Every structure is written in structure tokens, then in C-alpha cells.
Amino acid sequence: MNEHVRRLIDVLGADTSGAQQQDWSGIESELQVRLPADYKEFIEQVGGGRIDSYLYVLAPSSPNQHYDLTKLAAEREEAYEDIFDFEDKPAELEPEGSRIIPWGTTDNGEWLFWRILPGQEPDEYAVLINEARGEGWEFHEIGFAQYLTAVLEGDIQSDILSSAFPASPHNFDKFTHTP
């Protein structure tokens, strides 16, 4: 198991029973992008869900339709194309052909993305966060599991995410149904 995924699961105390294989080739074909190995491993081991009653990790074919990765990826890409007609793109998205794919959101409406550059390998994708009601962006040159672990352990302090996050002790609630 990837060391960052193992550490994230340990920090969360997440239940890994009922792990599920995913059709990653089908999911990646639909998204037209390859996904990072740490994310795929986390989803197969734990699934999508809510961290500390605040941050939602999106999952493909989520039992909660409001947090379905493939649905929200298309929706967010379209929304941000429109937003960037009126707001400046963050510098990290200036390279021609760069993309963002969401992997998380919050109760407050912030979005957590992978920043994908042309020709970049999936395990090189960095984390890019957009504030809910403004033009603020935060960039971290690390991947999904390493970022979440660092935030949960207090090694990274976000200026965008809620000051009440992370909570202590941590909790992870798996998606089980559509409300």
C-alpha cells in the first residue's frame, strides 16, 4: 500500500472493511484523464465520504449522488470555464491545456482539485483549492493523500479551508446512500 494512503487511513481511523474494486479504465475514459494511484487506492480501501464533518472526498459511482466524482468533474469543468470568462485564472492554470478535476468539496462550498498539466503523470498532479465565495486559490505541490494527511496532522495550515478544520479526534463517515 502507498505510504501516504496508509498514513491517511491510520490518521482517519477509517474502516477498510468492504473494500471495493472500481472500473478505473471506464472512469478514466469518461473523465478523459488518468487518476493518481493514491486516490484510486484510497477509494478502493475506504471509499468516498466526509472527513471531520466538513470535507467530502468525492468517489466515482458514489452511493450519494451529490458527491459523485464523474458527475461533478464535468459540472465543475463547465462552471469554471464560465468563471474564467470573468475572473482571472490562478497562475498555476495558465499553461495551455492545463485542467482541474475536483476530488473534494466542503460544507462551505470550497473545491479541492487536482491541477493537471499537459504530459504530466497522474502521480505528479498537485492540489489546487478554490475558496467558496471569492477568487482566492491555494496551491500545494503535493498529491491527494499526502495533502490530506498533512492537513489532518497540522503540518499544513490552509488559508481557505475552515479554521475549525481539522477536528480532533478525526472521523470519516463513508457515503452510504443518497439523502
Side-chain angles (χ1 to χ4, degrees), residues 2-96:
N2 175 294
E3 68 179 278
H4 298 297
V5 174
R6 182 180 317 109
R7 182 74 189 133
L8 177 57
I9 291 170
D10 289 347
V11 166
L12 287 172
D15 178 13
T16 58
S17 64
Q20 293 185 326
Q21 294 291 316
Q22 298 283 329
D23 173 16
W24 292 114
S25 62
I27 294 162
E28 292 171 332
S29 177
E30 185 174 344
L31 293 172
Q32 298 179 1
V33 69
R34 292 177 20 233
L35 297 172
D38 63 341
Y39 171 78
K40 294 192 284 190
E41 189 169 358
F42 182 83
I43 293 300
E44 287 191 349
Q45 292 295 313
V46 178
R50 185 173 62 171
I51 298 173
D52 293 350
S53 302
Y54 171 71
L55 190 148
Y56 298 84
V57 175
L58 308 179
S61 306
S62 174
N64 184 320
Q65 67 180 353
H66 303 291
Y67 302 104
D68 183 272
L69 174 72
T70 50
K71 175 185 167 195
L72 289 173
E75 179 184 294
R76 290 289 92 200
E77 278 196 291
E78 184 177 319
Y80 278 91
E81 283 178 22
D82 292 341
I83 288 170
F84 293 144
D85 285 342
F86 301 98
E87 294 179 8
D88 291 334
K89 281 185 182 182
E92 294 82 10
L93 292 177
E94 287 301 326
E96 185 69 32

Side-chain angles (χ1 to χ4, degrees), residues 9 67 94-95 108 121 126 158 160:
I9 291 170
Y67 302 104
E94 287 301 326
N108 294 339
E121 291 298 316
S158 174
I160 291 179

